[in-house]
C-alpha cells in the first residue's frame, strides 16, 4: 500500500510541476527581542484530489529522488516573490523570508544564479531572503555547494542551518561558518524539556552565541519551553504556540489586524 501511495504521489508530482499546483503557506516566526513576528518561513503544500494533502516531507523527498526538486523550488520562489511584490507593505513589517532549499539543489552548478535571478526579476532585494538548508546523508560540501553559498553571501542572502541537532548535522558545519543562523530541530525539544535537554541547550546556545550565530527554535508548543528559551538567549521562536503555517489569505488577514 505504501508503495502504491508513493507511486501515485510520484505520478501526481509530474502533473503538479507541469501545471503548477503547489501552494505556499507562511508561518510567522516570533522574535523575542521585538516581542512580535518579524520573519516568516515559506512552506510548500500540495493537495491531491483524492489523497488530500500530501505531507511536504513526502513529496519533497520524492521530488529529490526524481530530479524534480529544482523545478519545485523555482515555482515556489516565483510564488513567494509574486506575493511580496503584490503586497509591498509586507516588507515594512517582515524583515526577511525564510525559504527552504534541498542540499541537492545546490550541487547543481549555476543553480544559485537561477534563484538570485528569479528574485531580481521581481525587482526585490535578494538580501530580503534567507535560505534554510538541512544537512542530510547526501550533503556534500562540494565545490559547487560552497560556490553557491558564496554567491548568496555576495548578494546579501543569509543562510540558516535547519534541523540542527537531528540526524546528520555536525559541529564541523558550524566551525566552517557557512551559516549565519542555526535552527534547533523540533524533535530535539520534544514536548517537555528534561534536565539533560536543558543542559545541552544551554551549552549549545552559549557556543552559538560566542560564534555570533543567531538561534531559532522550532516546534515550540508550550509556554514552559518558550519561557526557558527566552531566559537562555534564543533569538527567535517558531511554533504552534505562536502561529501555525497559514495560507496566503489568512496571512494577509493577520497582517491587517
Ligand atoms: P522544516 O523546514 O523543518 O519546517 C518546519 C516544519 O515544522 C513544518 O512542517 C512546520 O509546519 C512544522 N512546525 C512548525 N511549528 C510546529 C510546532 O509547533 N509543532 C509541530 N509539531 N510542527 C511544527 P511542514 O510544513 O510539514 O514541512 C515539513 C518539511 O518539508 C520542512 O521541514 C522542510 O524540510 C520540507 N519543506 C517544506 N516546504 C519545502 C520547500 O519548499 N522546499 C524544500 N526543499 N523543503 C520543504
Ligand atoms: Ca525549514
Ligand atoms: Ca526544521
Amino acid at each position: 500500500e505504501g508503495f502504491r501511495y508513493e507511486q501515485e504521489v510520484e505520478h501526481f508530482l509530474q502533473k503538479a510541476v507541469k501545471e503548477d499546483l503547489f501552494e505556499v503557506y507562511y508561518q510567522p516566526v516570533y522574535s523575542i527581542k521585538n516581542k512580535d513576528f518579524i520573519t516568516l518561513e515559506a512552506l510548500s503544500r500540495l493537495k491531491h484530489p483524492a489523497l488530500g494533502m500530501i505531507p511536504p516531507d513526502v513529496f519533497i523527498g520524492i521530488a529529490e529522488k526524481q530530479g524534480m526538486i529544482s523545478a519545485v523550488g523555482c515555482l515556489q520562489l516565483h510564488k513567494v516573490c509574486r506575493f511580496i511584490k503584490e503586497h509591498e507593505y509586507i516588507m515594512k513589517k517582515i524583515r526577511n523570508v525564510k525559504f527552504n532549499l534541498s542540499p541537492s539543489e545546490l550541487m547543481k552548478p549555476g543553480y544559485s544564479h537561477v534563484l538570485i535571478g528569479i528574485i531580481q526579476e521581481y525587482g526585490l532585494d535578494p538580501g530580503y531572503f534567507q535560505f534554510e538548508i538541512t544537512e542530510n546523508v547526501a550533503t556534500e560540501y562540494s565545490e559547487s555547494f560552497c560556490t553557491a553559498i558564496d554567491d548568496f553571501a555576495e548578494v546579501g542572502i543569509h543562510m540558516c542551518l535547519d534541523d540542527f541537532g537531528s540526524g546528520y548535522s555536525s559541529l564541523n558545519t558550524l566551525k566552517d561558518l557557512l551559516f549565519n543562523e542555526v535552527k534547533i530541530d523540533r524533535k530535539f525539544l520534544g514536548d517537555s524539556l528534561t534536565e539533560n535537554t536543558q543542559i545541552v541547550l544551554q551549552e549549545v546556545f552559549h557556543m552559538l552565541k560566542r560564534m555570533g550565530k543567531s538561534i531559532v527554535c522550532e516546534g515550540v508548543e508550550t509556554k514552559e519551553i518558550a519561557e526557558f528559551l527566552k531566559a537562555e538567549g534564543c533569538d527567535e521562536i517558531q511554533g504552534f504556540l505562536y502561529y501555525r503555517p497559514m495560507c496566503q489569505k489568512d496571512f494577509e488577514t493577520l497582517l491587517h489586524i
Side-chain angles (χ1 to χ4, degrees):
E1 213 169 275
F3 179 67
R4 212 169 320 131
Y5 178 78
E6 190 161 320
Q7 263 193 330
E8 183 53 45
V9 174
E10 221 175 278
H11 183 72
F12 184 59
L13 210 52
Q14 282 168 12
K15 180 179 155 79
V17 168
K18 224 183 269 157
E19 298 175 18
D20 193 4
L21 303 178
F22 302 92
E23 234 190 300
V24 179
Y25 270 47
Y26 296 95
Q27 185 177 24
V29 179
Y30 182 83
S31 155
I32 292 171
K33 191 171 147 213
N34 292 268
K35 296 192 171 63
D36 199 356
F37 66 92
I38 56 163
T39 66
L40 47 92
E41 178 169 9
L43 294 158
S44 293
R45 295 289 180 265
L46 179 62
K47 195 173 175 188
H48 186 284
L51 300 172
M53 280 290 187
I54 305 170
D57 291 322
V58 173
F59 72 77
I60 294 290
I62 296 177
E64 283 172 350
K65 265 200 275 177
Q66 299 292 316
M68 287 191 283
I69 189 65
S70 340
V72 176
C74 287
L75 287 172
Q76 297 303 74
L77 188 57
H78 269 289
K79 232 164 269 155
V80 174
C81 289
R82 209 175 305 132
F83 176 54
I84 297 167
K85 194 66 200 169
E86 279 168 10
H87 303 79
E88 282 191 271
Y89 60 86
I90 287 174
M91 285 190 274
K92 284 203 192 111
K93 167 128 181 97
I94 302 291
R95 200 167 49 192
N96 63 27
V97 174
K98 299 171 190 287
F99 187 84
N100 292 288
L101 292 182
S102 297
S104 59
E105 290 178 79
L106 297 187
M107 285 164 200
K108 258 177 126 176
Y111 187 64
S112 51
H113 292 291
V114 174
L115 295 174
I116 295 168
I118 292 175
I119 298 170
Q120 287 170 337
E121 198 185 310
Y122 289 85
L124 298 171
D125 174 9
Y128 193 62
F129 287 80
Q130 186 185 52
F131 290 151
E132 299 195 349
I133 301 183
T134 305
E135 278 186 285
N136 62 34
V137 71
T139 307
E140 263 180 73
Y141 287 90
S142 60
E143 204 179 314
S144 46
F145 189 98
C146 296
T147 309
I149 297 203
D150 286 345
D151 293 340
F152 294 147
E154 208 165 286
V155 293
I157 297 175
H158 279 190
M159 301 301 297
C160 172
L161 176 60
D162 208 344
D163 302 333
F164 184 67
S166 70
Y168 303 97
S169 56
S170 88
L171 294 173
N172 275 323
T173 327
L174 297 179
K175 182 171 69 74
D176 296 335
L177 290 171
L178 290 176
F179 297 89
N180 318 81
E181 184 166 288
V182 176
K183 201 185 264 191
I184 311 289
D185 187 45
R186 129 172 85 102
K187 286 172 242 70
F188 185 74
L189 294 177
D191 300 330
S192 67
L193 298 176
T194 63
E195 201 186 333
N196 278 348
T197 306
Q198 294 187 18
I199 294 169
V200 173
L201 282 175
Q202 281 164 338
E203 298 307 321
V204 167
F205 282 11
H206 183 65
M207 172 186 77
L208 292 173
K209 285 278 153 205
R210 285 190 62 196
M211 289 174 149
K213 311 277 187 201
S214 152
I215 306 167
V216 190
C217 283
E218 66 178 356
V220 177
E221 294 183 5
T222 69
K223 257 196 183 136
E224 292 70 36
I225 296 183
E227 289 311 318
F228 173 84
L229 298 173
K230 283 179 194 174
E232 296 301 332
C234 174
D235 297 291
E236 291 174 1
I237 299 179
Q238 178 175 0
F240 297 170
L241 176 65
Y242 294 100
Y243 305 99
R244 286 180 177 261
M246 53 189 97
C247 67
Q248 189 175 307
K249 251 217 159 85
D250 289 347
F251 178 62
E252 283 168 39
T253 309
L254 176 72
L255 279 174
H256 292 303
I257 293 170

